[in-house]
Amino acid sequence: MVNIGLTVNQKLFEISVDENLRLIDLLRDKLGFHGTKEGCGEGECGACTVIMDGETVNSCLVMAFQANGSNITTIEGMEKDGKLHPIQQAYIDAGAVQCGFCIPGMVLSTKALLDKNSHPNRDEIREGISGNLCRCTGYNKMLDATEMAIKYMEEEKE
Amino acid sequence: MTLNQVYNGNSIDEVVELLGKYGKEAKIVAGGTDIVIALKNEKISPRVLIDITKIDELKKIEDDGEYITLGAGVTFTQIVENDIFHGNLRGLYKACRMVGSPQIRNKGTIGGNIANGSAAADSIPPLIALGSIVSLVSSDGVREIPLEDYYYDQVRDNELLRSIRFKKPKDNQVLNFSKLGLRKALAISRLTTAVLLEFDENNIIQFVRAASGALGKYPMREIEVEEYLLGKKIKNETIDGAVDALQIAMDERLKGRSTLPYKRTAIVSILRETLESGNESKNEVGAW
Ligand SMILES: Cc1cc2nc3c(=O)[nH]c(=O)nc-3n(C[C@H](O)[C@H](O)[C@H](O)COP(=O)(O)OP(=O)(O)OC[C@H]3O[C@@H](n4cnc5c(N)ncnc54)[C@H](O)[C@@H]3O)c2cc1C
Ligand code: FES
Ligand code: FES
């Protein structure tokens, strides 16, 4: 076992973990953030996406001990004061959510994209979510949702 | 062996010391995009893992005017987002830009791409075309080896791949890259070519270095293509001739392999695209 400390959704956790634990197992099984999903376990599907020190990563490809000292945002960290993040609201309003399995990763990839580029065009949005597979929607709704989210966030600022 | 010891490496010296101590019991983990899958599938079972992602020195991109040095921990995203690679180094930018997905590019490193040893590692052909040198450190000192020779004498158990460096292309040189194959395609079918071209004022090729990915056991330099192109202008018949030269080299190298007919056909458009974009972009970069 090895002792690590990391911040998840603004909260500091100090925990002892198995050497061979992955970040996804730490988040789901030890810390209870079940919004992070495991699909392929091999970096292909993006269901396990979290934001680590400002960038999206596949948490199935990070060892838990590597996250020592890191700052992580999971889908549970997106809402504020009991209110959904505008991106989450837009995904619902645009009808971009069907079974929902891909959505936590999809929303976090969308957030990381908009943090870097506040007005992406449709190609840039496609590229931004290209590491997240969805079996249900065909992706067009995600593009609509992202455009809607951009509007919501602008309105929020005003 | 069961994994029972992990380290968050803080400095190159510390990692080198740990590698010296544990030798083949230990493995480095950088972006984890290759090794975490290998650990999960029990393809490897080290007793010790050493994380190197928190070592700032390994994440630096340095430009001293003559050479560009990439720390082994530089990620594909860092390369894609750095303007140095948008001009005559565009071939390296393209290769990194086409890797996996945003998440993979955020974590995957140049050092990991080299050390993993795959024939289809996308950053390698452009780096070979640039004439890169790999720098490896151990408690015995520093070992430097040209990247094109690296695969025949890869990183040893007690060594850390520290950096890779190449001479900055001259204003009249341009690096290009093309890739066939989808992200989900089998690695083996991800064919690539990279070519560094230098033209004189009459558009004649006066210097060329060419490399390929997935056309052999490892990414490699393509000397026959270089010899054919030197002293010629890029025209349709030159491109055809370069393709012929590469196919002859492949026939020899991949003799009897079931993948040869496919690769032989697929390489035509890939090499053509690399050379044509090299020709077109020569007007856009530097002072001609
Ligand atoms: C979904 C997916 C898509 C991918 N797509 C592509 C693609 O399009 N093109 C491509 O080229 N690759 C691709 N890859 C492979 C992978 O992302 C790259 O090979 C990447 O560069 C590996 O770097 P890393 O830092 O993640 O290496 P790690 O997984 O951390 O390490 C890989 C190996 O290198 C060793 N190592 C790493 N750094 C050092 C060092 N500094 N010194 C000594 N040894 C070291 C490790 O011990 C390990 O054996 C893909 C992978 C996945 C999962
Ligand atoms: S579970 Fe991590 S990418 Fe699919
Ligand atoms: S909504 Fe079902 S996988 Fe995307």
Side-chain angles (χ1 to χ4, degrees):
Chain A
M1 300 291 269
V2 50
N3 296 322
I4 61 168
L6 74 168
T7 306
V8 183
N9 303 331
Q10 324 271 14
K11 214 174 132 198
L12 183 69
F13 293 89
E14 310 257 353
I15 184 168
S16 183
V17 298
D18 253 350
E19 284 78 2
N20 60 15
L21 202 73
R22 300 168 307 166
L23 178 58
I24 187 166
D25 310 318
L26 169 65
L27 291 171
R28 286 182 58 87
D29 304 343
K30 305 277 169 206
L31 304 179
F33 294 107
H34 296 214
T36 310
K37 305 296 181 208
E38 176 159 10
C40 64
E42 301 199 336
E44 295 282 356
C45 75
C48 65
T49 302
V50 299
I51 297 179
M52 179 171 179
D53 299 325
E55 288 184 318
T56 52
V57 304
N58 295 312
S59 61
C60 71
L61 298 183
V62 178
M63 299 303 286
F65 82 92
Q66 291 187 284
N68 189 19
S70 294
N71 191 349
I72 287 170
T73 305
T74 69
I75 193 66
E76 290 87 349
M78 288 287 283
E79 59 175 63
K80 230 170 59 206
D81 308 325
K83 218 177 132 225
L84 291 179
H85 188 283
I87 298 173
Q88 293 174 297
Q89 193 58 53
Y91 264 73
I92 295 173
D93 295 348
V97 182
Q98 289 190 28
C99 81
F101 193 80
C102 70
I103 301 297
M106 203 64 93
V107 166
L108 289 164
S109 283
T110 306
K111 177 171 194 306
L113 168 70
L114 296 183
D115 284 348
K116 272 192 186 173
N117 175 0
S118 57
H119 287 87
N121 62 35
R122 283 179 86 88
D123 278 345
E124 288 167 337
I125 301 171
R126 268 183 208 285
E127 169 52 40
I129 57 169
S130 62
N132 296 81
L133 301 187
C134 175
R135 297 297 292 251
C136 305
T137 66
Y139 305 102
N140 282 330
K141 299 275 192 202
M142 274 88 183
L143 306 192
D144 298 342
T146 305
E147 287 175 341
M148 213 181 262
I150 296 168
K151 278 206 202 96
Y152 289 175
M153 287 159 85
E154 273 173 357
E155 284 164 16
E156 231 178 40
K157 261 192 231 150
E158 279 162 14
Chain B
M1 269 183 284
T2 34
L3 179 63
N4 61 13
Q5 195 103 44
V6 294
Y7 293 91
N8 295 110
N10 293 306
S11 69
I12 291 177
D13 287 348
E14 183 195 348
V15 171
V16 165
E17 198 185 308
L18 289 169
L19 289 171
K21 180 167 158 199
Y22 293 113
K24 64 173 182 298
E25 285 190 312
K27 272 281 180 192
I28 299 278
V29 49
T33 60
D34 282 314
I35 200 177
V36 176
I37 299 172
L39 288 167
K40 194 182 92 169
N41 298 338
E42 295 177 1
K43 283 226 176 79
I44 55 168
S45 47
R47 189 174 77 72
V48 182
L49 276 184
I50 307 166
D51 171 57
I52 57 168
T53 54
K54 300 278 189 324
I55 303 175
D56 286 337
E57 205 186 325
L58 293 177
K59 292 194 262 192
K60 278 196 199 144
I61 298 175
E62 279 171 310
D63 174 0
D64 70 2
E66 191 183 356
Y67 283 93
I68 291 177
T69 306
L70 309 174
V74 167
T75 62
F76 298 118
T77 296
Q78 272 181 276
I79 301 225
V80 169
E81 291 182 350
N82 192 316
D83 289 345
I84 316 183
F85 305 106
H86 296 179
N88 45 8
L89 284 168
R90 62 184 57 194
L92 184 58
Y93 161 83
K94 264 197 205 171
C96 295
R97 179 71 188 63
M98 288 165 107
V99 166
S101 64
Q103 291 93 322
I104 297 292
R105 293 195 292 276
N106 287 341
K107 275 267 143 198
T109 63
I110 296 288
N113 212 214
I114 299 171
N116 197 53
S118 157
D122 284 326
S123 70
I124 313 302
L127 288 169
I128 289 179
L130 287 166
S132 298
I133 310 278
V134 183
S135 189
L136 305 141
V137 273
S138 70
S139 43
D140 302 333
V142 178
R143 179 164 77 96
E144 301 215 309
I145 182 164
L147 182 57
E148 60 180 274
D149 300 331
Y150 166 83
Y151 287 93
Y152 308 96
D153 190 3
Q154 302 191 22
V155 63
R156 297 171 192 159
D157 291 332
N158 65 342
E159 283 178 334
L160 173 71
L161 202 162
R162 180 179 62 182
S163 60
I164 177 146
R165 73 166 184 281
F166 52 84
K167 235 184 168 136
K168 282 178 85 166
K170 294 190 252 176
D171 285 345
N172 59 346
Q173 293 184 328
V174 63
L175 174 69
N176 266 288
F177 171 85
S178 308
K179 166 171 167 175
L180 172 82
L182 300 165
R183 153 172 168 235
K184 296 203 46 135
L186 287 173
I188 194 94
S189 62
R190 285 201 314 236
L191 304 188
T192 62
T193 54
V195 181
L196 179 70
L197 288 170
E198 177 181 327
F199 298 93
D200 70 9
E201 59 279 9
N202 299 316
N203 289 332
I204 290 172
I205 297 171
Q206 59 180 11
F207 177 82
V208 48
R209 217 185 279 112
S212 68
L215 290 191
K217 203 168 167 211
Y218 301 117
M220 57 177 74
R221 186 142 169 215
E222 297 293 355
I223 305 276
E224 286 83 355
V225 174
E226 297 174 7
E227 285 173 351
Y228 177 81
L229 286 172
L230 196 66
K232 296 194 175 67
K233 283 190 187 183
I234 299 259
K235 292 185 293 196
N236 262 329
E237 65 225 54
T238 330
I239 293 175
D240 291 342
V243 167
D244 280 345
L246 185 52
Q247 286 178 326
I248 292 169
M250 287 166 67
D251 289 345
E252 188 58 35
R253 200 182 296 155
L254 300 173
K255 209 171 5 195
R257 303 265 189 96
S258 60
T259 52
L260 178 59
Y262 163 75
K263 290 190 173 183
R264 222 175 175 282
T265 309
I267 203 65
V268 178
S269 58
I270 294 300
L271 185 58
R272 171 171 287 276
E273 190 185 307
T274 312
L275 293 174
E276 281 177 350
S277 56
N279 196 39
E280 285 158 18
S281 53
K282 74 175 188 293
N283 302 315
E284 298 162 31
V285 296
W288 292 82

Coordinates of all heavy atoms in Angstrom, one line a residue, chain A residues 86-138:
Chain A
P86 N -24.0 24.7 -17.0 CA -24.7 25.0 -18.2 C -24.4 24.0 -19.3 O -25.3 23.7 -20.1 CB -24.0 26.3 -18.7 CG -23.4 26.9 -17.5 CD -23.2 25.9 -16.5
I87 N -23.3 23.3 -19.3 CA -23.0 22.3 -20.3 C -24.0 21.1 -20.1 O -24.6 20.5 -21.0 CB -21.6 21.8 -20.3 CG1 -20.6 23.0 -20.7 CG2 -21.4 20.6 -21.3 CD1 -19.1 22.6 -20.6
Q88 N -24.1 20.7 -18.8 CA -25.0 19.6 -18.5 C -26.4 20.0 -18.8 O -27.2 19.1 -19.4 CB -24.9 19.3 -16.9 CG -23.6 18.8 -16.5 CD -23.5 18.6 -15.0 OE1 -23.6 19.6 -14.3 NE2 -23.4 17.4 -14.5
Q89 N -26.9 21.2 -18.5 CA -28.2 21.6 -18.8 C -28.5 21.6 -20.3 O -29.5 21.1 -20.8 CB -28.4 23.0 -18.3 CG -29.9 23.5 -18.3 CD -30.8 22.5 -17.4 OE1 -30.5 22.2 -16.3 NE2 -31.8 22.0 -18.1
A90 N -27.4 22.0 -21.1 CA -27.6 22.1 -22.5 C -27.7 20.7 -23.1 O -28.5 20.4 -24.0 CB -26.4 22.8 -23.1
Y91 N -26.9 19.7 -22.5 CA -27.0 18.3 -23.0 C -28.5 17.8 -22.8 O -29.0 17.1 -23.7 CB -26.0 17.4 -22.3 CG -24.7 17.3 -23.0 CD1 -23.8 18.3 -23.1 CD2 -24.4 16.0 -23.7 CE1 -22.6 18.1 -23.8 CE2 -23.2 15.9 -24.4 CZ -22.3 16.9 -24.4 OH -21.2 16.7 -25.1
I92 N -29.1 18.2 -21.7 CA -30.4 17.7 -21.5 C -31.4 18.4 -22.4 O -32.2 17.8 -23.1 CB -30.9 18.0 -20.0 CG1 -30.0 17.2 -19.1 CG2 -32.3 17.7 -19.8 CD1 -30.2 17.5 -17.6
D93 N -31.2 19.7 -22.5 CA -32.2 20.5 -23.3 C -32.1 20.2 -24.8 O -33.1 20.2 -25.6 CB -31.9 22.0 -23.1 CG -32.2 22.4 -21.7 OD1 -32.8 21.6 -21.0 OD2 -31.9 23.6 -21.3
A94 N -30.9 19.8 -25.3 CA -30.7 19.5 -26.7 C -31.1 18.0 -27.0 O -31.1 17.6 -28.1 CB -29.2 19.7 -27.1
G95 N -31.5 17.3 -26.0 CA -31.8 15.9 -26.2 C -30.6 15.0 -26.5 O -30.7 14.1 -27.3
A96 N -29.4 15.4 -26.0 CA -28.2 14.7 -26.3 C -28.0 13.5 -25.5 O -27.0 12.8 -25.6 CB -27.0 15.6 -26.3
V97 N -28.9 13.2 -24.5 CA -28.6 12.1 -23.6 C -29.6 11.0 -23.9 O -30.8 11.2 -23.8 CB -28.8 12.6 -22.1 CG1 -28.5 11.5 -21.1 CG2 -27.9 13.8 -21.8
Q98 N -29.1 9.8 -24.2 CA -30.0 8.7 -24.3 C -29.8 7.7 -23.2 O -30.3 7.9 -22.1 CB -29.9 8.1 -25.7 CG -30.5 9.0 -26.8 CD -30.6 8.3 -28.1 OE1 -30.8 7.1 -28.3 NE2 -30.6 9.2 -29.2
C99 N -28.9 6.7 -23.4 CA -28.7 5.8 -22.2 C -27.9 6.5 -21.2 O -27.9 6.1 -20.0 CB -28.0 4.5 -22.7 SG -26.2 4.7 -22.9
G100 N -27.0 7.4 -21.6 CA -26.3 8.2 -20.6 C -24.9 7.7 -20.2 O -24.1 8.4 -19.6
F101 N -24.5 6.5 -20.7 CA -23.3 5.9 -20.3 C -22.1 6.8 -20.7 O -21.1 6.9 -19.9 CB -23.1 4.5 -20.9 CG -22.0 3.7 -20.2 CD1 -22.2 3.1 -19.0 CD2 -20.8 3.6 -20.8 CE1 -21.2 2.4 -18.4 CE2 -19.7 2.9 -20.2 CZ -20.0 2.3 -19.0
C102 N -22.1 7.4 -21.9 CA -21.0 8.1 -22.4 C -21.0 9.6 -21.8 O -20.0 10.3 -22.0 CB -21.0 8.2 -23.9 SG -22.4 9.2 -24.5
I103 N -22.1 10.0 -21.3 CA -22.3 11.4 -21.0 C -21.3 12.1 -20.0 O -20.8 13.2 -20.3 CB -23.8 11.7 -20.6 CG1 -24.8 11.2 -21.7 CG2 -24.0 13.2 -20.3 CD1 -24.6 12.0 -23.0
P104 N -21.0 11.4 -18.9 CA -20.1 12.1 -18.0 C -18.8 12.4 -18.7 O -18.3 13.6 -18.6 CB -19.8 11.1 -16.9 CG -21.1 10.3 -16.9 CD -21.5 10.2 -18.3
G105 N -18.2 11.5 -19.5 CA -17.0 11.7 -20.2 C -17.2 12.8 -21.3 O -16.3 13.7 -21.5
M106 N -18.3 12.7 -21.9 CA -18.6 13.6 -23.0 C -18.7 15.1 -22.5 O -18.1 16.0 -23.1 CB -19.9 13.2 -23.6 CG -20.3 13.6 -25.0 SD -19.2 12.9 -26.2 CE -20.0 11.4 -26.8
V107 N -19.3 15.2 -21.4 CA -19.5 16.6 -20.8 C -18.1 17.1 -20.3 O -17.8 18.3 -20.6 CB -20.5 16.5 -19.6 CG1 -20.4 17.8 -18.7 CG2 -21.9 16.3 -20.1
L108 N -17.3 16.3 -19.8 CA -16.0 16.7 -19.3 C -15.1 17.1 -20.5 O -14.4 18.1 -20.5 CB -15.3 15.7 -18.4 CG -16.0 15.6 -17.0 CD1 -15.6 14.3 -16.3 CD2 -15.7 16.8 -16.1
S109 N -15.2 16.3 -21.6 CA -14.4 16.7 -22.8 C -14.9 18.0 -23.4 O -14.1 18.8 -23.8 CB -14.5 15.6 -23.9 OG -13.7 14.5 -23.5
T110 N -16.2 18.2 -23.3 CA -16.8 19.5 -23.8 C -16.3 20.6 -22.9 O -16.0 21.7 -23.4 CB -18.4 19.4 -23.8 OG1 -18.8 18.2 -24.5 CG2 -19.0 20.6 -24.4
K111 N -16.3 20.4 -21.6 CA -15.8 21.5 -20.7 C -14.3 21.8 -21.0 O -14.0 23.0 -21.2 CB -15.9 21.0 -19.2 CG -15.3 22.1 -18.3 CD -15.6 21.8 -16.9 CE -15.4 23.1 -16.0 NZ -14.0 23.6 -16.2
A112 N -13.5 20.8 -21.2 CA -12.1 21.0 -21.4 C -11.9 21.8 -22.8 O -11.1 22.7 -22.9 CB -11.3 19.7 -21.5
L113 N -12.7 21.4 -23.7 CA -12.7 22.1 -25.0 C -13.1 23.6 -24.9 O -12.3 24.5 -25.3 CB -13.7 21.4 -26.0 CG -14.0 22.2 -27.3 CD1 -12.7 22.2 -28.2 CD2 -15.2 21.6 -28.1
L114 N -14.2 23.8 -24.2 CA -14.6 25.2 -24.0 C -13.7 26.1 -23.1 O -13.6 27.3 -23.3 CB -16.1 25.3 -23.5 CG -17.1 24.7 -24.5 CD1 -18.5 24.8 -23.9 CD2 -17.1 25.3 -25.9
D115 N -13.0 25.4 -22.2 CA -12.0 26.1 -21.4 C -10.9 26.6 -22.2 O -10.3 27.7 -22.0 CB -11.5 25.2 -20.3 CG -12.5 25.0 -19.2 OD1 -13.5 25.7 -19.1 OD2 -12.2 24.1 -18.3
K116 N -10.5 25.9 -23.3 CA -9.4 26.3 -24.2 C -9.9 27.2 -25.3 O -9.1 28.1 -25.8 CB -8.8 25.1 -24.8 CG -7.7 24.5 -24.0 CD -6.8 23.4 -24.7 CE -5.8 22.7 -23.8 NZ -5.1 21.6 -24.4
N117 N -11.1 27.0 -25.8 CA -11.6 27.6 -27.0 C -13.1 27.9 -26.8 O -13.9 27.0 -26.9 CB -11.4 26.7 -28.2 CG -11.9 27.2 -29.5 OD1 -12.5 28.3 -29.5 ND2 -11.8 26.4 -30.5
S118 N -13.4 29.2 -26.4 CA -14.8 29.4 -26.0 C -15.8 29.5 -27.1 O -17.0 29.4 -26.9 CB -14.8 30.7 -25.2 OG -14.3 31.8 -26.0
H119 N -15.3 29.6 -28.4 CA -16.2 29.6 -29.5 C -15.8 28.6 -30.6 O -15.5 29.0 -31.7 CB -16.4 31.0 -30.1 CG -17.2 31.8 -29.2 ND1 -16.7 32.6 -28.1 CD2 -18.6 32.0 -29.1 CE1 -17.7 33.2 -27.5 NE2 -18.8 32.9 -28.1
P120 N -15.8 27.3 -30.3 CA -15.3 26.4 -31.4 C -16.3 26.2 -32.5 O -17.5 26.4 -32.2 CB -15.2 25.0 -30.6 CG -16.2 25.2 -29.5 CD -16.2 26.6 -29.1
N121 N -15.9 26.0 -33.7 CA -16.8 25.7 -34.8 C -17.2 24.2 -34.7 O -16.7 23.4 -33.9 CB -16.3 26.1 -36.1 CG -15.0 25.3 -36.5 OD1 -14.8 24.1 -36.1 ND2 -14.1 26.0 -37.2
R122 N -18.1 23.7 -35.6 CA -18.6 22.3 -35.4 C -17.5 21.3 -35.6 O -17.5 20.3 -35.0 CB -19.8 22.1 -36.4 CG -21.1 22.7 -35.8 CD -22.3 22.6 -36.6 NE -23.0 21.3 -36.5 CZ -24.0 21.2 -35.6 NH1 -24.3 22.1 -34.7 NH2 -24.7 20.0 -35.5
D123 N -16.6 21.6 -36.5 CA -15.4 20.7 -36.7 C -14.6 20.6 -35.4 O -14.1 19.5 -35.0 CB -14.5 21.1 -37.9 CG -15.1 20.6 -39.2 OD1 -16.0 19.8 -39.2 OD2 -14.7 21.2 -40.2
E124 N -14.4 21.7 -34.8 CA -13.6 21.8 -33.6 C -14.3 21.0 -32.5 O -13.6 20.4 -31.6 CB -13.2 23.2 -33.2 CG -12.2 23.8 -34.2 CD -12.1 25.4 -34.0 OE1 -13.0 26.0 -33.5 OE2 -11.0 25.9 -34.4
I125 N -15.6 21.1 -32.4 CA -16.4 20.4 -31.4 C -16.2 18.9 -31.6 O -16.0 18.1 -30.7 CB -17.9 20.8 -31.4 CG1 -18.0 22.3 -31.1 CG2 -18.6 20.0 -30.3 CD1 -19.4 22.9 -31.3
R126 N -16.4 18.5 -32.9 CA -16.2 17.1 -33.2 C -14.9 16.6 -32.8 O -14.8 15.5 -32.2 CB -16.3 16.9 -34.7 CG -17.6 16.6 -35.3 CD -17.6 16.4 -36.8 NE -18.8 16.7 -37.4 CZ -19.9 16.0 -37.3 NH1 -19.9 14.9 -36.7 NH2 -21.1 16.4 -37.8
E127 N -13.8 17.3 -33.1 CA -12.5 17.0 -32.7 C -12.4 16.9 -31.2 O -11.8 16.0 -30.6 CB -11.5 18.0 -33.3 CG -10.1 17.9 -32.8 CD -9.5 16.5 -32.9 OE1 -9.7 15.8 -33.9 OE2 -8.8 16.2 -31.9
G128 N -13.0 17.9 -30.5 CA -12.9 17.9 -29.0 C -13.5 16.7 -28.3 O -13.0 16.3 -27.3
I129 N -14.6 16.1 -28.9 CA -15.2 15.0 -28.3 C -14.8 13.7 -29.1 O -15.4 12.6 -28.9 CB -16.7 15.1 -28.2 CG1 -17.3 15.4 -29.6 CG2 -17.1 16.2 -27.2 CD1 -18.9 15.2 -29.6
S130 N -13.7 13.7 -29.9 CA -13.4 12.6 -30.7 C -12.9 11.4 -29.9 O -12.8 10.3 -30.4 CB -12.4 13.0 -31.8 OG -11.2 13.4 -31.2
G131 N -12.5 11.6 -28.7 CA -12.0 10.5 -27.8 C -13.2 9.9 -27.0 O -12.9 9.2 -26.0
N132 N -14.4 10.3 -27.3 CA -15.5 9.8 -26.5 C -16.5 9.1 -27.4 O -17.1 9.8 -28.3 CB -16.2 11.0 -25.8 CG -15.3 11.6 -24.8 OD1 -14.5 12.5 -25.1 ND2 -15.5 11.2 -23.5
L133 N -16.7 7.8 -27.3 CA -17.6 7.1 -28.1 C -19.0 7.1 -27.5 O -19.2 7.0 -26.3 CB -17.2 5.7 -28.3 CG -15.8 5.5 -28.9 CD1 -15.5 4.0 -29.2 CD2 -15.6 6.3 -30.2
C134 N -20.0 7.2 -28.4 CA -21.4 7.1 -28.0 C -22.1 6.1 -28.9 O -22.0 6.2 -30.1 CB -22.1 8.5 -28.1 SG -23.9 8.4 -27.8
R135 N -22.8 5.1 -28.3 CA -23.4 4.1 -29.1 C -24.8 4.5 -29.5 O -25.5 3.8 -30.2 CB -23.5 2.8 -28.2 CG -22.2 2.2 -27.9 CD -21.4 1.7 -29.1 NE -22.0 0.6 -29.8 CZ -21.6 -0.6 -29.8 NH1 -20.4 -0.9 -29.1 NH2 -22.2 -1.6 -30.4
C136 N -25.4 5.6 -28.9 CA -26.8 5.9 -29.0 C -27.1 7.0 -29.9 O -28.0 6.9 -30.8 CB -27.4 6.2 -27.7 SG -27.2 5.0 -26.4
T137 N -26.4 8.1 -29.8 CA -26.9 9.4 -30.4 C -26.5 9.8 -31.8 O -27.1 10.5 -32.5 CB -26.5 10.6 -29.5 OG1 -25.1 10.7 -29.6 CG2 -26.9 10.4 -28.1
G138 N -25.3 9.3 -32.3 CA -24.8 9.7 -33.6 C -24.1 11.1 -33.5 O -23.9 11.6 -34.6

